[in-house]
């Protein structure tokens, strides 16, 4: 069996379980919210209109969300919490999940093959490339942490005005 097909099949099963599980958790969270103190807000006319729109038109959003990074979990959770019918959700899940699995299988295998060839033919260059990637990742993490710490501190002018 072709390694791309095998990888895509495994990724497809993973995405169906993960996204379907997220939908189920959203469904349960929505059901719990409908029985909680939030039920008054959830039963407003505006919320019900939004819920009907998601139930009717949310399937394409769910399918396309698999082509994004970071949005697919929110889209699946929202579809569940807004009680999107399974007759609309499942086809979107199957189509979007298949696209996601194929993209990641082909791109992932391609990257791994390039790295394997790089290490086999030019080991020193491969090690240097991995080291550069690790340094860049560490630098990005440090930069984000420092930026977050700076934004969490009050500005000097604001601190002086408060005194």
């Amino acid at each position: 069996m072709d390694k791309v097909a095998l990888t895509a099949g495994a990724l497809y099963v993973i995405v169906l379980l993960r996204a379907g599980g997220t939908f189920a958790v959203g469904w349960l969270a929505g059901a719990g919210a409908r029985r909680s103190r939030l039920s008054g807000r959830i039963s407003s006319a505006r919320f019900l209109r939004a819920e009907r729109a998601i139930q009717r038109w949310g399937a394409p959003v769910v399918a396309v969300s698999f082509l994004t990074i970071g949005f697919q979990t929110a889209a699946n959770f929202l579809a569940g919490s807004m009680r999107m019918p399974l007759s609309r959700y499942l086809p979107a899940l199957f189509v979007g999940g298949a696209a996601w699995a194929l993209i990641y299988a082909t791109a992932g295998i391609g990257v791994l093959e390039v790295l394997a060839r790089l290490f086999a033919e030019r080991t020193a260059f491969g090690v240097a490339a991995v080291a550069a990637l690790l340094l860049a990742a560490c630098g990005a993490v440090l930069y984000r942490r420092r930026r977050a710490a700076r934004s969490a501190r009050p500005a000097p002018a604001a601190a002086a005005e408060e005194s």
Side-chain angles (χ1 to χ4, degrees):
M1 185 173 216
D2 183 41
K3 60 184 165 186
V4 173
L6 186 62
T7 304
L11 288 173
Y12 190 56
V13 169
I14 290 168
V15 77
L16 291 180
L17 292 173
R18 183 181 60 96
T22 304
F23 176 84
V25 169
W27 189 282
L28 293 172
R34 286 173 180 76
R35 292 188 198 109
S36 71
R37 288 182 273 164
L38 295 174
S39 63
R41 291 183 183 179
I42 292 175
S43 60
S44 71
R46 187 179 209 179
F47 185 87
L48 293 175
R49 253 193 333 270
E51 186 176 59
R52 281 192 302 276
I54 288 171
Q55 288 173 353
R56 184 170 183 191
W57 302 106
V61 173
V62 169
V64 170
S65 75
F66 287 97
L67 304 178
T68 66
I69 296 173
F71 180 65
Q72 55 188 278
T73 301
N76 284 285
F77 184 85
L78 185 62
S81 66
M82 294 292 190
R83 300 187 294 189
M84 181 185 292
L86 286 176
S87 61
R88 293 182 188 266
Y89 175 74
L90 289 177
L93 173 64
F94 294 146
V95 170
W100 179 88
L102 287 173
I103 289 169
Y104 275 81
T106 54
I109 287 177
V111 167
L112 289 176
E113 286 178 349
V114 166
L115 286 174
R117 205 172 306 127
L118 182 65
F119 275 105
E121 295 172 6
R122 298 201 168 103
T123 306
F125 185 71
V127 170
V130 169
L133 285 173
L134 287 174
L135 284 173
C138 290
V141 168
L142 283 173
Y143 173 77
R144 293 182 94 191
R145 284 185 180 177
R146 286 183 180 168
R147 191 176 72 190
R150 262 188 263 127
S151 66
R153 281 188 245 137
E161 290 176 8
E162 291 176 2
S163 302

